[in-house]
Amino acid sequence: QVQLVESGGGLVQAGGSLRLSCAASGRTFSINTMGWFRQAPGKEREFVAASMWSGGITEYADSGKGRFTISRDNAKNTVYLQMNSLQPEDTAVYYCTASRAIASRLENGYHYWGQGTQVTVSA
C-alpha cells in the first residue's frame, strides 16, 4: 500500500499563489505516476496535473496550463503543485493521487488517493 499526505492548502486572494505538497510513504517503489485532481462544490472531481517518475513526462489540464506547475522530489517521494495567478474558480478540494501505471487524466487510472486539502480563492 501507498499512503499520501497533502499539505499547503489554504485561503488566498485572487491573483495569489499557493504550493501544495504531497508526500508518499509505504510501497513507494511501485509508484510510476503522481498527480493532482480537484473537486469544487457541486462538481465532479477533475484532473489537474500529473507527472511520471520516469521520463519526466508531465500533463496538465487546460485550466491550469501556464499557471500551475507540477514537480517532484524523487528522493523525498514528494510531488508539488505550484499554483500561480489563482482565481475564485480554482476553489476546490485538491487531491493527491498516485498510480502504478502511466500518467492518465482519468480517475480510474490511479490506485492511491490522499485525503485532500482545501484551496479557497477569494475574489
Side-chain angles (χ1 to χ4, degrees):
Q1 280 290 66
V2 172
Q3 294 77 41
L4 303 173
V5 178
E6 304 104 332
S7 61
L11 173 65
V12 64
Q13 289 187 332
S17 299
L18 281 175
R19 188 177 83 152
L20 306 182
S21 301
C22 175
S25 61
R27 298 172 64 88
T28 57
F29 61 86
S30 67
I31 297 174
N32 195 35
T33 301
M34 289 188 73
W36 295 90
F37 281 69
R38 69 184 184 184
Q39 187 167 22
K43 295 187 177 181
E44 294 186 351
R45 192 154 54 181
E46 64 177 6
F47 171 78
V48 175
S51 175
M52 291 185 62
W53 250 221
S54 60
I57 296 172
T58 59
E59 291 193 21
Y60 294 94
D62 288 344
S63 59
K65 282 182 179 177
R67 300 188 301 129
F68 295 177
T69 302
I70 189 170
S71 61
R72 66 189 189 275
D73 184 332
N74 290 2
K76 296 182 178 179
N77 292 313
T78 298
V79 67
Y80 306 95
L81 184 67
Q82 176 68 43
M83 304 185 293
N84 298 328
S85 301
L86 284 163
Q87 299 301 316
E89 52 266 36
D90 295 315
T91 295
V93 176
Y94 283 70
Y95 295 91
C96 177
T97 187
S99 170
R100 300 187 293 269
I102 61 175
S104 171
R105 295 172 180 257
L106 303 177
E107 285 190 62
N108 61 12
Y110 293 86
H111 303 95
Y112 309 104
W113 293 84
Q115 293 298 308
T117 185
Q118 177 70 46
V119 171
T120 303
V121 185
S122 62

